[in-house]
Amino acid sequence: MILALMAAAIVLGGPAAATDKLSPRMARLDAWLLALREHEPGTGDAAAVRAGAWSSDDIRLLWLDTNAFIRLLRCPKCGVAPVAWLGDRSGTRRTSTVQYTNSELATLRDLSRSHQDGPWSEDKINILLKRGALLHTDIAMYVQPDGAPVHTGPPRTNGPLSFVMRSSDGHQTSVVDVAAHWELARSLLDLIAASKGGLASGPSQDPDVRVWYQATLAYMQAAAYYDTLHFDHALRLFPDAADVQFQNACLHETLASTRIQAAVRSASSGITFDVKSGRAELEIAERHFRRSLELDSSVVEARVRLGHVLSGLGRYADAVTELGHAGVEDEEPWLRYDAAMFLGDAQRAIGRRDEARASFERAAALFPRAQSPMIALSQLARESGRRESALAEIQPMLALEPAEERRPDPWWDYYLTPGRNADELLDALYRRFGRTSR
């Protein structure tokens, strides 16, 4: 999409009646169109705050109304039709029939006849859909209260709704309902159609949608939002994208972690999460890592993480082979550290203690104040019956400064590193809409 076109303002005509005479649904649609005109992508500005105050039920109704609105933009003489969307995590589509009064229908048609400087082309409709998706993305990222539970009861079933659990040290800390905005953003992008200029043939071929998923997957990883629905949807649109396969693999690797498994088990009664057993999640992660490497074998991090997953599955010899061929020599120190620690763990598990010690020592040399290699070396000495050596290996850890920034250990951020370039990807996304920086 040409940048000038992407950055063009969406100018909509006013509704057929004064706002105070509109029904609540039409007033909300009118307010949404106003928010699209006013919102600056990449910010939690006043327009985003206003729309962010709507409830999940409001968002559900807004989806039905925006769907009818887009349909009338594309086919002014058509009637409104039943609307289908993803109703649950299994991919089952539910259909909602839209019921409007005659006055609401008239308002919808008047709004749909509004135009910029000519008829509504597919290009202009696609811009509207993308700006709508960005509005709700920004609400989810910048407007929702950090850590505050929005909804604490069992998930409702009358709209796009899922939950993201935030946890600390394996205990549930909050349940945050931001999924309605993410779902609406995805659903709007799903409505993108082929442009007459041949620049796209639907969301899976649209470069802006591709960048949106790249950025939002990384953001969710960095923010520890464990929402499998979002990752699954990206996978359905871009099954042959190595980075999407990689991000899905990393998500399931995270869901298999002890911390997440413990948090799920401690969740409040009546709340469930789409998280399988640790082993099942690791098996899913393995499939995605292998597919990612089939698509792009140059991604060293995918091979290192695959080795970690194989160890988690108890396939230590396979892990040693995978990690031994990872080729981390020219990679960043943190990735070389991860590879050395994982290789040492696998070598120790199959009785190759001397090699394991050499691997842990390589990791310790990379991050001398990291506690994980010290613990591993001490454990290795203890398993070998060398009690004095075990104590000697652990002593430096006891002398470490309490401030974490003074004793960096890449392991602490391991499950967040798939999102380490989230800011860069978000900047790239917003630049497509005319912003130079966030």
Side-chain angles (χ1 to χ4, degrees):
M1 185 66 68
I2 299 173
L3 180 61
L5 180 60
M6 289 303 307
I10 296 177
V11 181
L12 297 167
T19 301
D20 59 1
K21 296 181 180 179
L22 298 179
S23 72
R25 289 181 67 170
M26 293 299 101
R28 185 165 47 246
L29 177 61
D30 184 62
W32 184 75
L33 294 172
L34 176 63
L36 295 194
R37 293 201 300 270
E38 295 182 346
H39 177 58
E40 182 179 3
T43 69
D45 58 14
V49 170
R50 291 197 307 270
W54 295 332
S55 69
S56 293
D57 288 338
D58 292 334
I59 298 300
R60 176 182 65 88
L61 292 173
L62 177 64
W63 162 245
L64 300 177
D65 298 333
T66 54
N67 197 290
F69 175 72
I70 297 300
R71 176 178 171 82
L72 291 175
L73 289 183
R74 286 178 167 147
C75 182
K77 296 182 179 180
C78 294
V80 295
V83 177
W85 58 0
L86 291 177
D88 59 37
R89 291 181 179 274
S90 69
T92 302
R93 287 189 174 272
R94 297 184 305 156
T95 299
S96 299
T97 302
V98 188
Q99 300 292 337
Y100 293 113
T101 66
N102 290 336
S103 175
E104 288 173 334
L105 275 173
T107 300
L108 266 175
R109 291 192 180 280
D110 283 347
L111 282 172
S112 69
R113 284 194 290 267
S114 301
H115 56 83
Q116 299 179 36
D117 55 354
W120 278 95
S121 65
E122 283 298 341
D123 284 333
K124 292 178 180 178
I125 293 172
N126 287 347
I127 292 174
L128 183 147
L129 292 168
K130 292 171 186 178
R131 289 188 65 90
L134 284 180
L135 170 65
H136 292 280
T137 301
D138 291 342
I139 292 170
M141 293 195 300
Y142 305 126
V143 176
Q144 291 291 333
D146 183 49
V150 178
H151 175 66
T152 56
R156 296 184 293 270
T157 58
N158 58 348
L161 186 62
S162 62
F163 290 92
V164 174
M165 178 177 61
R166 292 182 178 176
S167 66
S168 175
D169 296 329
H171 297 284
Q172 175 186 339
T173 56
S174 65
V175 177
V176 182
D177 174 10
V178 297
H181 292 287
W182 286 114
E183 179 73 7
L184 182 52
R186 288 192 299 268
S187 298
L188 289 169
L189 294 178
D190 283 346
L191 291 178
I192 287 176
S195 64
K196 292 182 179 179
L199 298 177
S201 56
S204 65
Q205 300 298 316
D206 190 290
D208 297 314
V209 177
R210 180 78 175 88
V211 173
W212 185 82
Y213 274 102
Q214 287 176 321
T216 56
L217 290 177
Y219 166 80
M220 287 188 174
Q221 297 277 25
Y225 282 96
Y226 305 126
D227 186 352
T228 58
L229 184 60
H230 191 76
F231 287 75
D232 288 345
H233 204 71
L235 198 60
R236 281 194 291 273
L237 286 175
F238 307 104
D240 295 326
D243 61 322
V244 174
Q245 291 283 348
F246 173 80
Q247 292 286 20
N248 269 269
C250 292
L251 172 69
H252 289 284
E253 182 188 20
T254 299
L255 296 181
S257 68
T258 302
R259 177 172 60 91
I260 297 302
Q261 291 287 314
V264 169
R265 287 192 295 270
S266 71
S268 302
S269 176
I271 297 177
T272 59
F273 300 94
D274 187 18
V275 179
K276 300 175 176 59
S277 69
R279 184 171 188 85
E281 293 291 353
L282 286 174
E283 289 172 346
I284 296 171
E286 180 191 1
R287 290 199 299 272
H288 288 305
F289 278 132
R290 291 197 183 281
R291 179 57 180 154
S292 174
L293 287 165
E294 287 176 5
L295 294 165
D296 186 355
S297 61
S298 69
V299 182
V300 175
E301 185 181 357
R303 201 168 299 280
V304 170
R305 286 178 173 270
L306 175 58
H308 179 239
V309 165
L310 292 172
S311 282
L313 290 168
R315 292 156 53 188
Y316 301 109
D318 291 342
V320 168
T321 299
E322 202 70 52
L323 291 162
H325 293 90
V328 298
E329 293 79 10
D330 297 326
E331 299 297 323
E332 294 291 328
W334 63 267
L335 187 54
R336 285 186 279 142
Y337 172 94
D338 287 342
M341 288 297 298
F342 298 155
L343 182 58
D345 283 336
Q347 289 166 333
R348 181 186 64 82
I350 59 177
R352 292 158 60 171
R353 288 190 171 86
D354 289 342
E355 294 176 37
R357 180 177 182 82
S359 295
F360 293 141
E361 287 175 344
R362 283 200 304 276
L366 288 165
F367 289 86
R369 292 187 177 88
Q371 68 181 37
S372 298
M374 300 177 192
I375 295 172
L377 286 165
S378 178
Q379 182 183 22
L380 192 62
R382 182 173 57 82
E383 290 174 351
S384 301
R386 296 182 288 113
R387 296 174 60 86
E388 291 185 2
S389 295
L391 182 60
E393 295 288 4
I394 207 69
Q395 284 295 334
M397 188 190 80
L398 302 178
L400 290 174
E401 298 179 66
E404 290 189 3
E405 64 270 15
R406 301 299 299 272
R407 48 188 180 94
D409 188 335
W411 173 246
W412 294 338
D413 297 325
Y414 177 73
Y415 292 109
L416 302 179
T417 52
R420 63 188 177 278
N421 60 343
D423 285 344
E424 176 185 339
L425 292 171
L426 286 168
D427 283 341
L429 171 66
Y430 294 124
R431 281 198 301 272
R432 300 181 76 87
F433 289 81
R435 292 206 65 190
T436 56
S437 64
R438 283 191 304 122

